[in-house]
Amino acid sequence: MSDLKKSTDTQFADIRKSTDTQFADIRMQLRSQDNRLWTFLAALFLAVLGFAAKLILFPSGQM
Protein backbone atom coordinates (compact mmCIF):
# COMPACT_ATOMS: atom_id res chain seq x y z
CA MET A 1 0.00 0.00 0.00
CA SER A 2 2.84 2.34 0.80
CA ASP A 3 4.45 1.75 -2.60
CA LEU A 4 1.20 2.61 -4.36
CA LYS A 5 0.93 5.88 -2.43
CA LYS A 6 4.52 6.81 -3.32
CA SER A 7 3.90 5.96 -6.94
CA THR A 8 0.74 8.06 -7.02
CA ASP A 9 2.46 10.97 -5.29
CA THR A 10 5.32 10.77 -7.78
CA GLN A 11 2.88 10.76 -10.70
CA PHE A 12 1.05 13.81 -9.32
CA ALA A 13 4.34 15.62 -8.81
CA ASP A 14 5.36 14.88 -12.41
CA ILE A 15 2.01 16.12 -13.71
CA ARG A 16 2.33 19.29 -11.63
CA LYS A 17 5.84 19.97 -12.96
CA SER A 18 4.66 19.37 -16.53
CA THR A 19 1.70 21.71 -16.06
CA ASP A 20 3.90 24.42 -14.53
CA THR A 21 6.31 24.13 -17.46
CA GLN A 22 3.46 24.40 -19.95
CA PHE A 23 2.08 27.49 -18.20
CA ALA A 24 5.53 29.09 -18.23
CA ASP A 25 5.80 28.42 -21.97
CA ILE A 26 2.37 29.92 -22.58
CA ARG A 27 3.29 33.04 -20.58
CA MET A 28 6.47 33.47 -22.62
CA GLN A 29 4.53 33.10 -25.88
CA LEU A 30 1.97 35.67 -24.74
CA ARG A 31 4.74 38.15 -23.93
CA SER A 32 6.20 37.68 -27.39
CA GLN A 33 2.78 38.12 -28.94
CA ASP A 34 2.18 41.29 -26.90
CA ASN A 35 5.53 42.70 -28.06
CA ARG A 36 4.68 42.00 -31.69
CA LEU A 37 1.28 43.63 -31.29
CA TRP A 38 2.72 46.79 -29.71
CA THR A 39 5.40 46.98 -32.42
CA PHE A 40 2.73 46.73 -35.11
CA LEU A 41 0.58 49.39 -33.45
CA ALA A 42 3.56 51.75 -33.10
CA ALA A 43 4.49 51.25 -36.77
CA LEU A 44 0.88 51.86 -37.82
CA PHE A 45 0.72 55.04 -35.72
CA LEU A 46 3.96 56.34 -37.22
CA ALA A 47 2.76 55.56 -40.74
CA VAL A 48 -0.50 57.45 -40.17
CA LEU A 49 1.42 60.33 -38.60
CA GLY A 50 3.79 60.46 -41.58
CA PHE A 51 0.93 60.36 -44.07
CA ALA A 52 -0.89 63.16 -42.21
CA ALA A 53 2.30 65.25 -42.17
CA LYS A 54 2.74 64.70 -45.92
CA LEU A 55 -0.83 65.83 -46.59
CA ILE A 56 -0.47 68.90 -44.38
CA LEU A 57 2.99 69.96 -45.54
CA PHE A 58 2.65 69.04 -49.22
CA PRO A 59 -0.91 69.48 -50.45
CA SER A 60 -1.64 67.61 -53.68
CA GLY A 61 -1.64 70.79 -55.83
CA GLN A 62 1.94 71.89 -54.96
CA MET A 63 3.99 68.97 -56.27
Side-chain angles (χ1 to χ4, degrees):
M1 188 93 172
S2 165
D3 291 336
L4 179 62
K5 185 175 190 267
K6 287 181 184 178
S7 175
T8 306
D9 289 344
T10 304
Q11 288 176 349
F12 281 130
D14 290 344
I15 290 171
R16 183 175 295 157
K17 287 178 188 176
S18 174
T19 304
D20 290 344
T21 302
Q22 289 175 354
F23 280 139
D25 289 344
I26 290 171
R27 279 189 215 107
M28 191 167 58
Q29 290 174 0
L30 285 174
R31 283 187 202 125
S32 297
Q33 189 174 1
D34 286 347
N35 289 339
R36 285 191 297 264
L37 177 65
W38 283 113
T39 301
F40 174 74
L41 289 176
L44 184 64
F45 174 74
L46 290 174
V48 169
L49 187 66
F51 185 69
K54 182 219 175 276
L55 288 177
I56 291 170
L57 297 174
F58 305 105
S60 60
Q62 279 188 333
M63 285 188 73

